[in-house]
Amino acid sequence: MMNRLKDGLRYISKSNIKNLLDFHVVHDHRFGTQVDHQLSRDFFVKLWVSDTRMRNPRGKKLIKSRVIDLDPRWFSAGSSKPKRFLKQPPISQSVSEFSQPESPEEAKVAALLARSNLLITRDIEWANLVLGFEQENRYAIVDACYPQSPVGLIREQSNVITRQLLRLRRPFVAHITDAMGNELFRVRRPFWWITSSIYAEIDGKEIGVVHRRWHLWRRLYDLYLGNKQFAVVENPGLWNWTFTLKDIDGEVLAQVDRDWRGFGFEILTDAGQYVIRFGGSDSNSKIGLANAIQDLDVGRPLTLAERAVAVALAISLDNDYFSRHGGWGLPFFDVGE
């Protein structure tokens, strides 16, 4: 009994603890009784049972909240909905380092995109790996300054038949949410044959698009905000996995790096990892390994809407060049159409 009491005391609410610390008289409104400071064991039993019922009215097992370890598999197996986390990590970039939200659409995505570095990790698709069955892509987004939990999640939504028939050319919609599961924006990629395009939308309003240009071996992309082009990507192709966004004057605006995850990951899976570097960060917000991150020097900081288009670019890169066609064998890295 005493061991159960000790475990139960850890779940006593703050209001009851405050009452217990009262030296003279404690009044518990749920029992309607007054006791002195020499509390009996029966009182603690009733208090523990009452608090347990308040915290868990349906009788489910209590689970202690702990720091979430960095894990690319942050989705429930077989579930169509991503896991939800207790809170959204704070932004890691000071307001002075990027343009403040200029519209309701930008204000909505600020909690995810007001960060200097985003790490996007794709989940392992076991059915695709073993059976060649194409699954919906899922990603977790982590801020390097707060690696203990994700700041966002990406979940593809597409038709199961078109995934098997069209594979990498299939149309899909990817929902980008915060850590709490609230949708911030989405990207839409229609069916393509020669070159692909992917659109960024906030609340159903199209804010930008990424068009891929055909080339035999180079990887070329044009990024637009509305009808105005703000960046271009000209990657030399082959085994160069760094995609730099530059403006019309050749100034660096951002960078998308495809990380090497090891021989096993790269050969047997398509669980890619991408780092989007927006440049500059608030040094006071860095913790742990984030202090070793070298910030990208940029000509100007991207707006929040432009950063949403950059996230769409990373998703397009993963599907255009770094996705397997399923089944066993060496990975297929597409170098041109």
Side-chain angles (χ1 to χ4, degrees):
M1 175 64 73
M2 291 305 297
N3 291 334
R4 294 178 60 187
L5 286 175
K6 291 179 181 179
D7 293 336
L9 288 176
R10 291 182 295 181
Y11 296 100
I12 297 177
S13 61
K14 293 181 179 180
S15 61
N16 286 331
I17 292 176
K18 181 179 179 181
N19 291 335
L20 290 174
L21 295 177
D22 195 326
F23 182 77
H24 296 290
V25 177
V26 176
H27 179 270
D28 192 312
H29 64 281
R30 288 169 294 177
F31 302 112
T33 59
Q34 289 187 342
V35 296
D36 57 20
H37 62 279
Q38 295 179 347
L39 299 174
S40 64
R41 185 174 62 178
D42 292 337
F43 174 77
F44 280 105
V45 173
K46 293 180 180 179
L47 191 60
W48 172 47
V49 172
S50 178
D51 272 276
T52 302
R53 290 176 178 174
M54 290 181 64
R55 289 173 173 270
N56 196 21
R58 297 183 180 181
K60 296 181 180 180
K61 184 178 179 180
L62 290 172
I63 302 178
K64 292 182 64 179
S65 299
R66 295 185 181 273
V67 176
I68 303 170
D69 295 330
L70 181 60
D71 190 344
R73 295 173 291 180
W74 274 311
F75 296 86
S76 301
S79 174
S80 60
K81 295 183 179 180
K83 289 184 179 180
R84 294 174 180 242
F85 295 86
L86 297 180
K87 63 180 180 179
Q88 179 79 0
I91 62 175
S92 62
Q93 196 165 25
S94 61
V95 177
S96 61
E97 294 190 48
F98 66 94
S99 299
Q100 297 188 26
E102 299 176 354
S103 65
E105 290 79 16
E106 287 195 341
K108 185 174 183 178
V109 300
L112 174 64
L113 301 179
R115 306 175 188 278
S116 58
N117 299 284
L118 291 178
L119 180 65
I120 301 178
T121 303
R122 181 172 168 178
D123 190 23
I124 297 177
E125 301 165 4
W126 293 105
N128 186 20
L129 174 63
V130 178
L131 304 175
F133 182 83
E134 196 72 29
Q135 296 178 266
E136 293 177 329
N137 295 335
R138 301 177 297 180
Y139 309 81
I141 308 174
V142 174
D143 186 341
C145 296
Y146 303 98
Q148 67 272 15
S149 61
V151 297
L153 301 166
I154 303 175
R155 180 66 184 251
E156 174 192 339
Q157 184 179 11
S158 59
N159 182 273
V160 62
I161 297 178
T162 59
R163 284 202 309 272
Q164 313 313 314
L165 297 178
L166 301 178
R167 296 290 179 170
L168 301 181
R169 287 179 168 84
R170 67 183 181 267
F172 66 83
V173 174
H175 302 268
I176 294 89
T177 68
D178 60 14
M180 304 299 294
N182 304 309
E183 182 177 310
L184 304 178
F185 67 102
R186 63 179 62 179
V187 297
R188 175 176 54 86
R189 181 167 145 130
F191 166 78
W192 60 278
W193 182 248
I194 302 299
T195 58
S196 63
S197 297
I198 191 166
Y199 300 84
E201 302 175 349
I202 302 179
D203 292 333
K205 178 183 177 181
E206 181 183 315
I207 61 168
V209 60
V210 179
H211 293 300
R212 176 185 170 192
R213 281 185 280 148
W214 184 90
H215 194 276
L216 185 59
W217 65 86
R218 300 177 67 192
R219 300 159 179 175
L220 308 176
Y221 289 88
D222 297 315
L223 287 77
Y224 292 83
L225 190 64
N227 296 323
K228 183 180 179 181
Q229 184 175 358
F230 70 90
V232 64
V233 174
E234 297 179 338
N235 180 277
L238 300 179
W239 292 100
N240 189 308
W241 289 2
T242 298
F243 302 83
T244 304
L245 285 67
K246 296 183 179 181
D247 62 12
I248 191 173
D249 299 321
E251 295 287 340
V252 175
L253 301 178
Q255 197 173 80
V256 180
D257 287 327
R258 168 64 156 79
D259 285 347
W260 174 267
R261 301 192 66 190
F263 186 81
F265 267 101
E266 301 298 341
I267 295 299
L268 299 178
T269 77
D270 55 1
Q273 193 170 79
Y274 303 83
V275 178
I276 304 180
R277 308 181 194 278
F278 293 120
S281 65
D282 186 357
S283 59
N284 293 327
S285 68
K286 288 188 174 184
I287 59 173
L289 298 177
N291 291 305
I293 297 177
Q294 183 177 0
D295 294 325
L296 180 69
D297 294 329
V298 296
R300 68 168 180 87
L302 292 179
T303 66
L304 295 171
E306 291 171 338
R307 296 183 181 202
V309 178
V311 173
L313 170 65
I315 297 174
S316 185
L317 289 172
D318 183 57
N319 285 272
D320 286 341
Y321 298 111
F322 301 103
S323 290
R324 290 170 52 85
H325 290 274
W328 291 96
L330 295 177
F332 179 79
F333 296 117
D334 192 7
V335 296
E337 297 298 331

